[in-house]
Amino acid sequence: MTLSPKFAAVLFDCDGVLVDSEKITNEVLRVMLGEMGWHLSREECVARFVGRMLRDEADVIEAHTGQRIDEEWLMEFRRRRNVEIADSLEAIPGVVEAVRTLDEVYPGRLACASSADRPKITMQLQKIGLFDVFEGRIFSGVELDRGKPAPDVYLAAAAALGVDPAESAVVEDSPPGVEAGRAAGAHVLGFCPASPVHQSPELLLGLGADETFTDMTELPGLLTTRDRLDAHENSVATSR
């Protein structure tokens, strides 16, 4: 079967889409906020911080703790987070196979556009065996003026690939990410598996996702079309 691309490029979020890291990162954050006196449940921490850059949440953290997070605090957070990720990170089920399939259909036109810092993105992609797919096409919101839900990281990725963001697809799982993809003008696919750190399809659709899916095995079919010749041959075979 020959597959053809439906879009000019596919722009992937990382955490929660490619890697099952949200529960790891948010637990480290929850513990560190607790050490500052702000005690959140796991559910509250996920709702408040998933998909956002911590530097953008400094005012919120200060309002609840009376302490301003600084670069030293962020470096300690990243250190503790990276230790946990290196020990227990796993790929989202089915995503490695899905991305490998899409890489054949979209050669050089897959990118990873994340709110995370570049070392984290790189480490995670290397750990799950997908760094080679995205090497040279990794974009970090930390390196831009605005993080998600602003569209900057997706606009930067599309510009680097030389494609119109409005002709691209974005794969996201968080509310800020969906809003960012929508603001970039892209076709947004919301990933909504049954998970404590993922959102409901209704929520992501309400925020502007064009469609949602629950299993990474579905993704190649959502981003490709079958060659017309294949479709015709299949019709002839069926009629026989």
Side-chain angles (χ1 to χ4, degrees), residues 28-41:
V28 172
L29 175 60
R30 190 178 75 88
V31 169
M32 290 186 67
L33 292 176
E35 293 169 356
M36 298 169 70
W38 188 11
H39 301 284
L40 293 166
S41 69

Side-chain angles (χ1 to χ4, degrees), residues 3 76 85 111 119 130 208 225 240:
L3 299 177
E76 175 62 10
I85 286 174
L130 286 179
T225 57
R240 290 175 180 173

Side-chain angles (χ1 to χ4, degrees), residues 209-221:
D210 294 284
E211 54 189 318
T212 62
F213 66 108
T214 60
D215 192 311
M216 279 296 167
T217 60
E218 303 172 60
L219 190 58

